Amino acid sequence: LMAQIPRAQLVVQGLVVVIALVVAQQIARMLQLDHAGGVLSVASLATVVVCARLGWRQALLGVGGLAVLSVPAVFSLNDPLLATLVLMAAGLGLGISARWQLKPVYWLLVVSLCMLITNSPLTPGPSPGQAILIAVALMTSGAVATLLETRLLSLVGRTADTYSFAVAHSWRRSWAHGLMLAAATLVTTPIALANHWHTSGLWLILTPFLVLQPFVRESWKVALHRSLGTLAGVLLVIILAVGLPQTVPLQLPAFAAAVLTVVIAIRRGHRALMLTALTATIVLFNSNSGDLLLRADQRVLASALGIAIALLMMALAHLIERRFSGSPRMLAPEA
């Protein structure tokens, strides 16, 4: 599968990502939301991946849901309870999407939502107009990214993948997984907000979304891949921080890492490789040259804590499952 995409399509795909990111930055400036450039860029990146994997309808549906949740997310800056409720809703929805194996695609949209909560681009006490402006900016950048993906890729003969939405898990398992993701935010969100971890809190909240899976055996494997991807991404950022001249803006390597992330995701490359590129992308979009090394180090610590919380929850869920089902194995595959 890794060799099935022609080189011309990969080149155009990279061009789509770069244009989508540039447009996202321009939308932020036009709407006087300069500090929201990173949020819009990550949302555009996620929309491109969803569109490439699932089609334009699902891409618009996903970014539309993100835009709706962004309104209460903006107002949760000084309200940990509201922030937790917003992320619980996102976690529940993401878990239910595992019924059709959509979670690995949709979780990228959650990154932007977490960024709005942990590192809001707006000043404390935003007005309703600013909240609506953020939602409009997200929807606009996502719509442009979707248009670019569908139109430019069609010029080189690529059509959107036809996704069958085949059922992979029962409703019981999907709801249980969603409830587990929602419960994880009850632990991670208060910790991140109470300690004002900002970008490091983003990694803490996101990690259980990545690690927790419907099956225990998958969670252990994903946790290993997550750890390897995180360490490799941090190493890449450290190399850039040491070797990159101060005159070179961080947007340039950020764009390159973003293109690499999309290419790996579309080609369904190894999870650790995609996380390596995504780690570098998000860190570069949310850093400046002076604190690049500091943010990379904080990401390792926050991710390690997030992995520990996720695996502890899996262990507790294992005990609960055994107690109520009498099964020696947690969440065994359905017949």
Side-chain angles (χ1 to χ4, degrees):
L1 181 63
M2 292 288 286
Q4 288 179 357
I5 302 178
R7 182 176 299 178
Q9 292 185 5
L10 290 178
V11 172
V12 175
Q13 184 65 79
L15 182 62
V16 167
V17 175
V18 172
I19 296 175
L21 293 177
V22 171
V23 170
Q25 296 284 336
Q26 292 303 316
I27 290 174
R29 292 191 180 94
M30 287 172 56
L31 297 179
Q32 297 183 345
L33 297 170
D34 292 348
H35 296 294
V39 175
L40 298 185
S41 296
V42 173
S44 295
L45 184 68
T47 306
V48 168
V49 173
V50 175
C51 185
R53 295 281 296 273
L54 304 178
W56 66 269
R57 292 181 180 85
Q58 294 300 314
L60 292 180
L61 179 64
V63 76
L66 172 63
V68 171
L69 288 176
S70 70
V71 175
V74 166
F75 287 115
S76 68
L77 182 59
N78 295 315
D79 191 343
L81 177 59
L82 179 58
T84 302
L85 291 175
V86 171
L87 289 175
M88 285 180 67
L92 183 62
L94 195 62
I96 294 174
S97 74
R99 175 173 170 82
W100 303 278
Q101 293 184 318
L102 300 179
K103 181 190 171 188
V105 183
Y106 275 134
W107 75 264
L108 282 168
L109 289 167
V110 180
V111 178
S112 293
L113 184 65
C114 291
M115 290 173 67
L116 283 172
I117 289 175
T118 59
N119 197 15
S120 176
L122 302 179
T123 57
S127 65
Q130 289 177 310
I132 294 175
L133 208 58
I134 284 286
V136 171
L138 285 169
M139 194 68 216
T140 303
S141 59
V144 171
T146 301
L147 182 63
L148 289 169
E149 177 69 19
T150 53
R151 295 302 182 186
L152 292 186
L153 266 296
S154 66
L155 297 178
V156 289
R158 182 184 173 188
T159 57
D161 295 339
T162 55
Y163 195 82
S164 62
F165 295 95
V167 173
H169 303 297
S170 67
W171 280 114
R172 179 184 67 84
R173 187 184 303 280
S174 301
W175 274 95
H177 184 49
L179 290 172
M180 187 179 297
L181 293 178
T185 64
L186 286 172
V187 180
T188 58
T189 306
I191 293 175
L193 297 183
N195 292 282
H196 305 287
W197 280 2
H198 302 295
T199 303
S200 297
L202 165 71
W203 310 125
L204 174 62
I205 296 171
L206 277 180
T207 298
F209 284 95
L210 284 170
V211 173
L212 291 173
Q213 302 296 317
F215 297 106
V216 170
R217 63 178 180 273
E218 293 176 353
S219 293
W220 287 105
K221 183 167 63 175
V222 170
L224 175 61
H225 294 165
R226 168 74 173 176
S227 301
L228 293 175
T230 296
L231 292 175
V234 169
L235 179 61
L236 178 59
V237 170
I238 290 174
I239 293 173
L240 289 173
V242 173
L244 197 68
Q246 294 289 327
T247 55
V248 177
L250 291 183
Q251 284 81 0
L252 292 181
F255 278 28
V259 171
L260 186 59
T261 300
V262 171
V263 170
I264 294 173
I266 292 174
R267 297 177 74 174
R268 294 171 174 83
H270 196 280
R271 184 184 291 108
L273 289 177
M274 194 196 74
L275 287 174
T276 299
L278 183 65
T279 296
T281 300
I282 301 176
V283 171
L284 290 169
F285 269 127
N286 288 275
S287 305
N288 55 57
S289 299
D291 66 356
L292 192 56
L293 286 174
L294 176 62
R295 288 188 186 275
D297 180 62
Q298 289 174 341
R299 188 190 196 287
V300 173
L301 297 177
S303 295
L305 178 57
I307 289 173
I309 292 172
L311 296 182
L312 178 60
M313 292 192 64
M314 291 301 298
L316 293 175
H318 179 38
L319 295 176
I320 294 173
E321 179 72 13
R322 290 185 61 182
R323 180 177 180 84
F324 284 95
S325 68
S327 171
R329 220 167 139 187
M330 177 191 170
L331 297 177
E334 298 96 342

